[in-house]
Amino acid sequence: MKKLKILVLADLKKHTNSTVKSAVSLSKLINAKVDLFHVKKATDVIASDSQLSAMRTINEEQNQARNQLATVLNPFAENYNVNITSRVGMGHVKSEIEAYIKTSNPDIIVLGQRQSKTLKIAGDNVTDFILKTYNGTVMIASSENGLEPESDLHIGFLNGNTTTSNTAITNDLLAQTNTPLKSFNIVSNADQKAAQTSNSTNKTIDYVFEKNDNTIKNLSHYLEKNQVNLLLINRDNNTESKSEKSEIKDVINKVNISLFITSNTQKQAI
């Protein structure tokens, strides 16, 4: 059986270590290999009109980045016996990422949690860019509450359950988690709230939140209270409404746990 591949897109800033740690944790849970890609923007490196000088600067910057990567990755590879490959790109960030994703064909892309001063790509930050252009599964690793290798996994679902997120990868994760599962649902009115509550099962505990200005804050509180460290979000392209897309964006911006956003090309099992 082909081994799954996790691609980590890293900026080599202060939260890279926590992003890699979450990726390694995920790899141990689903038996996947890890590949890391870092891009240096060419215009930030080349300041000379001399071609020879520019090439020398590029080589120096790439070597420095490789050394930084080795410093981050080697302890994880040694401590958790996981194979981690890496590559440094140089050029237009958007184009380099697109090309590398096409070449490497990952099953999951792992990103660090967006920061207030995040890298911009043609008006989008990296997270928005990946979610718009990559149809596969994306994990956004929390910088403060990321996954820990060889630690317990506590899964929650946003507006879904085990049947609406039924893919091979999520099934592998569910096999590793403690039960009962937690389902967190955002509804627009009280009637929906009552209907959703009546659908709860013995295997799943449902929390239902009526949509208002405090919804995401309340959701975040209950995720923390229930010690959820991975929130699964279904982004099936066939059913996702503008409202649901807005909710996902709010969760990405404001919820401080790792998020596991499913593929939008795979028909979900019912």
Side-chain angles (χ1 to χ4, degrees):
M1 183 182 294
K2 178 186 173 184
K3 198 165 188 177
L4 296 173
K5 180 188 288 186
I6 296 170
L7 172 60
V8 183
L9 298 177
D11 58 12
L12 292 186
K13 294 182 181 178
K14 68 177 183 177
H15 295 302
T16 296
N17 197 73
S18 60
T19 303
V20 173
K21 182 186 289 186
S22 287
V24 168
S25 303
L26 180 63
S27 77
K28 302 293 283 185
L29 290 166
I30 62 173
N31 190 30
K33 55 187 177 181
V34 180
D35 183 34
L36 187 145
F37 186 53
H38 168 68
V39 184
K40 278 193 168 293
K41 194 174 180 181
T43 53
D44 290 342
V45 175
I46 303 171
S48 172
D49 293 332
S50 166
Q51 184 176 0
L52 181 61
S53 177
M55 290 301 297
R56 187 183 301 115
T57 301
I58 288 173
N59 289 334
E60 290 173 354
E61 289 287 336
Q62 287 182 320
N63 287 333
Q64 182 181 356
R66 291 188 188 101
N67 290 335
Q68 284 182 271
L69 284 174
T71 300
V72 172
L73 300 180
N74 287 347
F76 286 107
E78 294 170 6
N79 293 336
Y80 300 106
N81 191 30
V82 59
N83 180 34
I84 307 176
T85 57
S86 62
R87 185 186 166 198
V88 178
M90 182 79 67
H92 185 267
V93 176
K94 176 180 177 181
S95 299
E96 289 291 317
I97 289 176
E98 281 184 312
Y100 195 74
I101 291 172
K102 185 176 181 180
T103 300
S104 62
N105 192 28
D107 298 287
I108 302 170
I109 290 180
V110 175
L111 305 165
Q113 190 177 37
R114 70 175 76 195
Q115 304 300 312
S116 57
K117 295 181 179 179
T118 187
L119 175 66
K120 297 289 183 178
I121 301 178
D124 293 329
N125 62 42
V126 175
T127 304
D128 289 338
F129 170 67
I130 293 299
L131 290 175
K132 285 179 181 178
T133 61
Y134 176 67
N135 291 320
T137 301
V138 177
M139 186 172 88
I140 301 175
S142 170
S143 57
E144 296 178 9
N145 302 305
L147 300 184
E148 294 283 342
E150 301 172 0
S151 295
D152 290 341
L153 180 65
H154 301 270
I155 287 179
F157 294 90
L158 179 67
N159 295 338
N161 52 45
T162 56
T163 58
T164 58
S165 297
N166 191 2
T167 68
I169 296 174
T170 54
N171 285 340
D172 284 345
L173 287 174
L174 289 171
Q176 305 285 337
T177 191
N178 293 327
T179 54
L181 299 169
K182 310 294 195 310
S183 178
F184 302 86
N185 303 279
I186 299 173
V187 300
S188 56
N189 56 59
D191 290 339
Q192 278 186 290
K193 187 171 182 178
Q196 181 64 49
T197 304
S198 68
N199 289 331
S200 62
T201 68
N202 291 331
K203 295 182 179 180
T204 304
I205 297 174
D206 285 281
Y207 295 90
V208 184
F209 304 88
E210 192 165 353
K211 191 179 298 185
N212 56 49
D213 292 342
N214 293 317
T215 300
I216 303 301
K217 182 178 179 180
N218 292 335
L219 170 66
S220 188
H221 169 72
Y222 273 87
L223 288 167
E224 181 179 351
K225 182 178 179 180
N226 284 276
Q227 298 181 316
V228 172
N229 55 7
L230 188 65
L231 182 65
L232 271 60
I233 302 174
N234 178 28
R235 58 164 180 157
D236 181 2
N237 203 38
N238 295 319
T239 61
E240 192 179 278
S241 67
K242 288 184 178 180
S243 174
E244 288 170 331
K245 289 179 180 178
S246 176
E247 285 172 6
I248 290 173
K249 197 161 189 175
D250 282 344
V251 170
I252 290 172
N253 287 334
K254 298 174 183 177
V255 172
N256 193 19
I257 66 167
S258 294
L259 309 175
F260 195 83
I261 305 171
T262 65
S263 165
N264 66 6
T265 59
Q266 191 167 350
K267 180 70 176 177
Q268 304 296 337
I270 302 299

